[in-house]
Amino acid sequence: MPAAPIQFFNRLTQSLETEAVYGEGPLRFVYENPLGQIALHALVKRALFSQWYSSRMDSPTSAARIAPFIEQFGVDVSEFAEPVESFKSFNDFFYRKLKPAARPIVEDEKAIALPADGRHLVIPDVSQSRDFLVKGIRFDIATLLGDSGLASRFEKGSVLISRLCPTDYHRFHFPCGGIAESPRMIHGPLFSVSPIALMKRPSILWENKRYVTRMRTQGLGDIVFLEVGATCVGSVVHTATPGQIIRKGDEKGYFRFGGSCVITLFEPGRMRFSDDLIEHSAAGREVYARMGDEAGRVL
């Protein structure tokens, strides 16, 4: 039986679309085939495999992949801050910067910005979510944060999951202004965060290697921002300086090669997500939107 297509709602086109999954064949093999499961646990989920693959994307020969990738996935080169010819490797292209006008930040002071390009899923009240992606799976805030005291503040809070595909812009930004602490790393494996993998194992999001950053704000209290590593993510690079005043939309860092995701946690009663995010997430469907677009509003 052919695999069901992965559909999402595109906020830009206001239509349902089918995701073109980068590396779909190998992903389905390791996550849906019993033989692939052996390779998954013996090799693919391990840091050494991702480090090896990312090193290939750093090599000068990998630059030959850039033009075919742009053509196959329709990447808009007019948004690039630097010309395509300036990229010395595929990784240079992968975590490219964009022109500021390509990702305007929602200006309304009450609006919260999406932290990254990607496909977004929200949980308005995590304590009420008993069927996260798969029936009977609860989103595990305590394990995600690795801090029971901090988790208690968000056990009835709101969750924004922003999943980045290899085709997306891979720099992530702050959704609001405030002061951020230093990121804290939690060790873990590197499973894929593709829907193919997540529908088999939703707990990937709180098992994988991840970085936790607490941020103090005026209108939203404390928020927590996480970068979740994934298969073939060579590293997460943080570019923001802890302790400095941050403006909404300032860059926080970037992912090197590989699809991944960022998770943003909000305290209960502080904000409300945008209607399309609530509607489609309730139907188990992600919403594609860009960094800087509105994610919700401060109450």
Side-chain angles (χ1 to χ4, degrees), residues 10-278:
N10 189 328
R11 182 184 279 184
L12 279 65
T13 63
Q14 291 291 298
S15 63
L16 287 178
E17 297 183 9
T18 299
E19 182 173 336
V21 180
Y22 181 79
E24 181 171 5
L27 278 169
R28 291 199 181 277
F29 173 72
V30 297
Y31 287 96
E32 298 178 350
N33 185 297
L35 291 176
Q37 289 284 299
I38 298 172
L40 171 65
H41 292 285
L43 178 64
V44 176
K45 74 174 187 180
R46 301 188 182 279
L48 188 62
F49 174 80
S50 293
Q51 290 165 2
W52 167 77
Y53 198 90
S54 185
S55 69
R56 293 181 60 196
M57 298 299 102
D58 277 330
S59 70
T61 57
S62 69
R65 297 171 176 253
I66 297 172
F69 186 94
I70 288 172
E71 183 175 357
Q72 180 180 355
F73 293 101
V75 180
D76 186 357
V77 298
S78 70
E79 296 180 338
F80 295 4
E82 303 292 338
V84 174
E85 298 76 25
S86 69
F87 302 128
K88 304 303 182 185
S89 68
F90 194 86
N91 242 337
D92 277 353
F93 156 72
F94 185 77
Y95 52 76
R96 62 194 175 273
K97 291 186 176 183
L98 301 182
K99 298 172 183 174
R103 295 294 183 273
I105 309 301
V106 58
E107 293 183 359
D108 191 326
E109 290 185 1
K110 289 284 188 178
I112 301 160
L114 289 170
D117 277 21
R119 290 138 190 84
H120 309 275
L121 191 74
V122 302
I123 307 174
D125 181 347
V126 72
S127 68
Q128 300 301 310
S129 176
R130 295 179 175 83
D131 300 309
F132 177 67
L133 299 179
V134 175
K135 189 172 178 61
I137 298 294
R138 299 192 66 170
F139 193 95
D140 192 339
I141 292 287
T143 302
L144 176 76
L145 296 178
D147 181 332
S148 58
L150 182 60
S152 66
R153 300 183 58 183
F154 295 91
E155 61 185 9
K156 295 185 178 181
S158 305
V159 180
L160 167 65
I161 302 167
S162 305
R163 180 176 63 86
L164 292 75
C165 296
T167 52
D168 290 321
Y169 165 63
H170 264 73
R171 291 178 181 260
F172 44 87
H173 299 247
F174 289 101
C176 59
I179 298 177
E181 298 178 354
S182 297
R184 168 174 56 92
M185 185 179 71
I186 300 177
H187 289 284
L190 292 171
F191 292 105
S192 170
V193 294
S194 162
I196 294 169
L198 289 173
M199 290 303 293
K200 292 291 183 181
R201 192 185 183 106
S203 59
I204 283 170
L205 292 178
W206 51 89
E207 292 176 347
N208 272 13
K209 177 181 177 180
R210 54 207 180 275
Y211 294 85
V212 182
T213 305
R214 184 163 66 173
M215 180 176 171
R216 302 186 183 281
T217 78
Q218 287 192 341
L220 287 165
D222 283 2
I223 68 171
V224 175
F225 194 92
L226 298 100
E227 300 93 27
V228 181
T231 304
C232 295
V233 174
S235 61
V236 177
V237 179
H238 293 99
T239 57
T241 303
Q244 291 192 350
I245 295 175
I246 294 158
R247 298 171 301 172
K248 178 169 60 177
D250 282 353
E251 183 182 296
K252 187 176 188 297
Y254 60 86
F255 293 107
R256 290 165 63 83
F257 184 77
S260 195
C261 78
V262 296
I263 300 175
T264 314
L265 306 180
F266 301 91
E267 292 180 1
R270 294 284 191 169
M271 60 86 69
R272 185 181 190 279
F273 289 119
S274 300
D275 290 342
D276 60 346
L277 291 172
I278 294 173

